[in-house]
Structures are given as C-alpha cells and as structure tokens.
Amino acid sequence: DQKQQLDPPQIAARILINGETPVDSPSTPYNSTPTENGHGSEGAAHDDHSHLEAQFPHLERATTPDELPDVDAMEQSASFFDPQNKKAALIREQVAMETLHELLDYILEDGGSIGIFDATNSTLERRKIIMKTIRERAGPELNVLFLESRCLDENLLESNMRLKLSGPDYKDKDPVAALIDFKKRVAIYEKNYVPLGEYERQNKMPFIQMIDVGEEFISYKIKGFIAAQVHFYLLNFNLAPRQIWITRHGQSMDNVCGKIGGNSDLSDAGRLYAKDLTRFIDHMRKEWDVRQLDKISRSHFPPQPGDTTPPNPQYAPEGQETQQISFCVWTSMLKRSIQTSQYFDDDEYEMKQMKMLDELNAGDMEGMTYDEIQTGHAEEYALRKQDKLHYRYPGAGGEGYLDVINRLRPVIVELERMTDHVLLVGHRSVARVLLAYFKGLSREDVADLDVPLGTLYMLEPKPYGVDFKAYEYKPDQQWFVEDPTYTLKKAKTENA
C-alpha cells in the first residue's frame, strides 16, 4: 500500500500563514523555530498577533506566548477546528479575515464585480464579524448573499463525507483513518453550528439554504439580477454522473472553400465523419454503462470501511437497479450540424435542434473568406484583429463573441440541470464558449481557443472539478483516438 498512513489524530493537511514560524499540531509539544540570529520566535509572535485578540474578543487570551498563533504551518487534523483550541482558533480567524480583506480589495480596488468568500461560516459570531468588516470597508451599497448547504439525510451525509476523502484535505491519505478524522471535525463544527435563519431575518440579510443537495430550498430576500441568477443556478445544479460531449460539425463545402458562416451541406469527408462519430458515441455509451455497473457492484451502501466513492443515494438508491441513462444529441439549426447527427438512431437518442447553438453570424460578411474580408473590408478586418472578443460583425444579424456567450447561457443552465448524457454538435464559436465555461477559463480566452474540425471533447462533472478528455478523428482508421496530452490552447492563426 503506497498511500501515506494517517492515524486519526494526525495530519490531514497543512496551513501556511504569512511566512512565519512553524507550530506543531496541538497534540504535540510546541517547538519554536530559531530565527537567523539564533533566537526563538515566541516574543515576536506575541507582538505580531496581539491585534487578533482585540479583533476577536470572543476568544480567550492565550495564557503563554507558546499558545499564540505564530505559525508558518499548522497541522489540520480535527483538533485544529476545535473551538477550545485557542491557538488554532486565532489562526483560523486570522486566515478568514485576511482572505476577506483580499476579496474586498479585489472588489473595491481592482475592479471586481463578484467575490465568493468560501469558508465554514457556521457560527453566528463569524457571520457578524464578516458583516461588520464588509460594512466598515464597503458601506451599505455592497450586497451580501449567504449560501448554506445542509444535509439532514444521514445516508446522504455519510456518502458526502466519503466523497470528501477524494478532496485536497485528505488526498493520498489512508481512507479509514481520514474518515475518522473528518467525522471528528464535523462533530466539532456541530457543537457551535447555528444555521442561517432567525438572526438573518431579523437583520434583513439575504440568504439561500440548500437542504440535502437541492431536495429542499429556503430563500430569503433574493433581489437583484446577480442574486436571482445564483438562486436559479443552484436550483438547477446537480452532480449526477453523466458525460457531456462537444464537437464541431463535420467538414462542410464552405470549409473546403475557406468561407465563414453560410449554410452549406457536408462534404464527402464530413459525411464520413458523421458516420464514424455515431459509431464511436455508440461504443463509448456502452463502455460507460459497463464501468458504472462495475463501480456499483464494488460499492456498498451504507458504505463499509475503506469505501471512498460510495453511490450517491439520490441517484442509486439501495436495492434499486441502475437504469440506462438517456442520451441526447443537440445540434444547431444549420444544415452542416444537422447532417452531422443524421446517422443517430432516433429510438436510442433524443434528438433536438436549437438556434442557440448556431454559429456566430458574420452579418454582411457571411459566406466570405478572410482574404476577401481583408481586401474588401480592411477597416473591419483590423478592428476584429485588434479585439476579437468585443468585435461585432456589421450588418443585419451580425454578432460577436459576447452575443454568443449571452445566447448560450440557457444552454449551459440546462447542461447543469440535466442528468442525461448529451452530445452537442455545434460550431467553432459555440465550442469555444462551452469549453471555456466547463474548464473555468477566463472570458478573454474564449475567442482564441483552438478547436479544430475533427476533435471530439468529453467532459464528466465531478464533485471536485471536471474530467476532461480529447479525441482526435483518424479518417484512415475511421475512429477517434484519445490524446492524453491534449490541452486547450490558443489558435495558431489569427483568423481562426
């Protein structure tokens, strides 16, 4: 067993604070680290952190210098989260407040619009400090929305705890010991946990409470565009196991001629791509079903010691056979996209055409080559080259990338909501936006992503990110081959 062993009271992770000196976990004696002049750091630490005691009067003053949070590293076992551990409590408050101030710097000084303060703000005292800090720095104009996820279902809670073992805190640790440690941490939180509710209502503080992963929602004073969008997103979000496939259409006659836009038919090569795409998706769908059945056969519910990825009871209830997940194929309304999906069996796949997946409309320049645009519309060509993201083609129906991003929002919400597999047969601009969203890229990266014809992308949402794979079409093999080294990158040519 190559995994690092973790006894229950020992290390789960490490916290680094401001480049200061290390402190052992509370279960071991404190060892001061000599400074460059050979002296211990206890005295300096006492001076450096005395302001924390004034800022957090609800924490008792440490009785000796050794108990103050003079740290470079702190062992993050369950004892680190115990409110009775005064040293650790001061450290956690320091980390929380420094992080909050960084977030406020981003919003107030660096032009940010939205900040997410990801922390376990499970006590009323912590939430009061957060609001006090925000109002002192930002005044009453900055809106604050508290989000809380609660699990009341004991089976779901057990499953979620085991999913935590694959997260960063317990990665590569012994799962049995790690689970014991994490359950201790949860029990410690429960001692002082105050759910959102009465205090927030009394003080008119907007909040959303999500219970049992979306089985129940409680929302209060949700107003404004952003808060409403967050609420709508959480109502539709899920972690059901499924795959999202994205590809451009097969080669079209306009592709052969180098023309942009238009509504041409597939070329002979494009029709071969369509046939092989259908066969490949058929194969991968069956392969996925086999993997899931094998995974379920090796899982236990309720989980047994050592299980790290038990079935989620929402999607695989105990004693219920797993049904085959439906598979949707979505295309644009353009012929080259529709024709790429023509070989899928309507009885096996749910087919849908939607205009939201259409290619970016080039307005007056639809059906032209880039050389023709550069020659006949030199000024427009230069404007687009200068800022492709914000450029919009002139003429009736002309669009830019920001327009495509806007019209794909409902598609993205539906992809987050659905529990089925889906294949999207789209176009270059559409593929760029969707891939940038699921891979967490910035908006500035969207317009230049390299998404060539003949590449098929697979995304599988997970609790900690998205599994991503890329398959390259091999016409001579009439098949798709995975490229394990593939990364999304900027297109080589400026006209792409």
Side-chain angles (χ1 to χ4, degrees), residues 412-443:
I412 290 172
V413 170
E414 182 64 12
L415 289 172
E416 293 282 17
R417 181 199 68 80
M418 66 191 303
T419 58
D420 300 331
H421 300 307
V422 61
L423 166 67
L424 297 102
V425 182
H427 306 268
R428 180 158 52 196
S429 64
V430 170
R432 281 172 165 166
V433 172
L434 294 176
L435 289 170
Y437 170 79
F438 283 106
K439 290 294 289 178
L441 304 180
S442 70
R443 190 171 65 172

Side-chain angles (χ1 to χ4, degrees), residues 9 29 66 70 97 129 140 144 153 155 161 164 179 183 211-212 237 286 309 319 323 331 345 392 413 423 441 456 473:
D66 286 359
D70 178 20
M97 291 302 104
I129 292 173
V144 179
D153 185 303
N155 290 334
M161 285 183 178
K164 179 75 172 178
L179 182 61
K183 286 186 175 182
I211 300 172
D212 288 340
F237 175 78
K286 294 173 183 175
T309 56
Q323 298 179 348
T331 74
D345 187 341
R392 175 181 285 162
V413 170
L423 166 67
L441 304 180
L456 177 64
Y473 178 54

Side-chain angles (χ1 to χ4, degrees), residues 37-77:
N37 60 13
H39 299 293
S41 57
E42 295 96 324
H46 186 277
D47 294 336
D48 289 345
H49 294 282
S50 60
H51 68 283
L52 289 172
E53 299 164 33
Q55 187 174 3
F56 308 115
H58 60 290
L59 298 177
E60 296 180 6
R61 177 179 174 83
T63 57
T64 69
D66 286 359
E67 293 176 332
L68 291 171
D70 178 20
V71 298
D72 180 28
M74 186 74 179
E75 306 296 8
Q76 195 180 346
S77 64

